[in-house]
Amino acid sequence: WKSSGTAADLPSRVAFDGKGSSGAILPEGTYKARFAVAYVNGHAPSGESPVFVLDVTPPKATVAADRTAFNPVGVADQAFVAFKQSGSSEETWTGELSGPDGKPVRTWRFLGEPDERLSWDGRDEAGRVAADGAYRYRLSAVDRAGNSWTSAPVEVKIDTEKKDAFLSTDRRAFSPNGDGVADALRLLPEIRATDAPASWELGVYAD
């Protein structure tokens, strides 16, 4: 790419759009510019710009949660969620958790690459346990050239509701002898919670 003219039309600023003489964007990489002038007395001073980077590739990363719901005040191995993440090397990455109302709850900064594992204990910036509900984590970055990228939101739920399970029977004794009288006993499982369990198991054991 080149531009030239006379002293009468020398601009104070020249915009370079990254395109070569063919009109196509130049390959990504480092470049520098050279400015040269010529005088009628034979002097021909010149100067070079600092090196600059042509970059059209935005940052890129992946992020996933190890669970879809957790209880910050529950048992130890269920009291946090871990986000697994990886990304390109940038000056800064930002991880942000927003609450059910869309407002930020926690924010993290990562230099270079995002941390491979980020644990959240369900607390806000002030250390308070966040309210029950759906939270969304996003990872984003803007590189030196202004290219930006933001991940799709990864949703996790805080659920501190107490869950109860009960089991009763329709009789206290039965006789499975095939005579048609009290040959079977019905087990009556019951759960008390606003959501369905992830799994269940029912068994009979000798007392």
Side-chain angles (χ1 to χ4, degrees), residues 117-133:
R117 179 184 172 88
L118 171 67
S119 293
W120 182 44
D121 59 5
R123 298 178 184 273
D124 61 16
E125 297 285 7
R128 298 168 300 210
V129 175
D132 282 15

Side-chain angles (χ1 to χ4, degrees), residues 38-185:
Y39 290 89
V40 294
N41 66 357
H43 287 173
S46 64
E48 287 189 346
S49 73
V51 172
F52 51 87
V53 177
L54 191 159
D55 176 13
V56 296
T57 301
K60 187 176 182 180
T62 61
V63 57
D66 69 343
R67 63 192 63 193
T68 57
F70 70 110
N71 181 0
V73 295
V75 295
D77 63 346
Q78 295 290 325
F80 63 90
V81 60
F83 297 99
K84 182 180 180 181
Q85 48 191 22
S86 64
S88 54
S89 180
E90 309 296 341
E91 290 188 342
T92 305
W93 283 92
T94 299
E96 183 180 272
L97 261 167
S98 57
D101 59 1
K103 296 180 180 179
V105 174
R106 285 288 300 273
T107 301
W108 294 266
R109 296 278 190 272
F110 313 106
L111 300 179
E113 298 177 3
D115 290 357
E116 291 184 4
R117 179 184 172 88
L118 171 67
S119 293
W120 182 44
D121 59 5
R123 298 178 184 273
D124 61 16
E125 297 285 7
R128 298 168 300 210
V129 175
D132 282 15
Y135 292 77
R136 292 172 176 82
Y137 178 74
R138 292 178 176 86
L139 184 64
S140 64
V142 179
D143 65 19
R144 291 184 299 166
N147 302 303
S148 62
W149 182 88
T150 302
S151 70
V154 178
E155 183 175 291
V156 295
K157 292 181 179 179
I158 289 181
D159 182 5
T160 61
E161 179 190 50
K162 187 178 185 302
K163 318 292 185 181
D164 285 314
F166 303 91
L167 183 61
S168 59
T169 61
D170 67 341
R171 61 178 68 240
R172 297 299 297 271
F174 74 115
S175 174
N177 58 10
D179 64 358
V181 179
D183 282 333
L185 175 146

